[in-house]
Amino acid sequence: EQVRLVYPNLTFAGMDGSPAFLKWLDPSKGYKKSNFYQGLLPDGLKVDTEEKYDFVVCNSVFQYLTREEAEKTVTKALKLAKKGGIVMICDVCDEASKHIEEPFMKHHVPGYGKGKSHTYYPKSWWTRFDGKVSYFHSDAEGYVRRKTRYQAVIQKV
């Protein structure tokens, strides 16, 4: 909704792993339900569309993907982006902060670390993709992980 306030004519499309998310879409706010679907990354991401996007975002999911799944996801997201478009991967677990993040998660999330933990990415990992890569840490007030997670931005060339 914050993006819509700044760009009221923006067309949104999306995918989420939860089948329930389709019920949350409010057509009165301009969301066209046919632009959204349920699926899991990377295989669920549809790239057979003619439409290309200015901005493709993956938010808070890469920590649950293997690096192989993450690479496939970014490759597909770049295919969805127009030339000059942006692919932004938000809330990436920073490998440089794993020594801080893992104890935090084990303390705050019951059962975390038993069997599977998050996937961490060094910033250098993103340079494998064709595009201009940059990163930034959130400066959102009150966001506990703003120093241990970052946003990766790839501008398609």
Side-chain angles (χ1 to χ4, degrees):
E1 288 307 306
Q2 297 303 314
V3 174
R4 188 174 292 291
L5 291 173
V6 178
Y7 302 100
N9 297 321
L10 198 63
T11 300
F12 287 87
M15 178 194 83
D16 194 275
S18 169
F21 102 100
L22 294 171
K23 297 175 188 169
W24 304 332
L25 296 170
D26 186 349
S28 71
K29 293 183 178 178
Y31 296 108
K32 192 174 167 187
K33 287 198 175 199
S34 63
N35 286 352
F36 295 85
Y37 63 97
Q38 190 270 332
L40 296 173
L41 295 174
D43 298 328
L45 191 57
K46 297 177 185 176
V47 294
D48 58 346
T49 178
E50 291 295 319
E51 188 166 4
K52 300 294 181 189
Y53 298 97
D54 294 310
F55 202 69
V56 178
V57 180
C58 292
N59 190 27
S60 297
V61 294
F62 270 56
Q63 66 264 34
Y64 305 114
L65 301 177
T66 65
R67 287 196 181 172
E68 181 182 322
E69 291 169 331
E71 188 166 352
K72 287 179 184 177
T73 299
V74 173
T75 300
K76 285 184 170 192
L78 284 165
K79 287 180 181 176
L80 285 171
K82 292 178 182 177
K83 185 176 181 177
I86 300 289
V87 172
M88 187 169 169
I89 311 300
C90 299
D91 213 35
V92 176
C93 293
D94 191 347
E95 190 172 80
S97 300
K98 186 175 182 176
H99 67 286
I100 298 168
E101 184 81 1
E102 283 292 294
F104 175 88
M105 292 300 295
K106 287 176 183 173
H107 179 75
H108 292 285
V109 179
Y112 180 85
K114 293 180 170 68
K116 188 172 183 182
S117 65
H118 286 156
T119 303
Y120 293 80
Y121 301 84
K123 290 177 179 160
S124 61
W125 186 83
W126 304 92
T127 60
R128 70 189 62 233
F129 302 104
D130 190 26
K132 181 181 173 188
V133 179
S134 59
Y135 322 90
F136 67 94
H137 285 265
S138 173
D139 62 357
E141 201 172 311
Y143 180 50
V144 177
R145 295 184 175 123
R146 67 180 177 213
K147 293 184 180 185
T148 60
R149 296 193 179 188
Y150 64 89
Q151 284 52 251
V153 179
I154 305 169
Q155 183 174 21
K156 185 175 180 176
V157 292

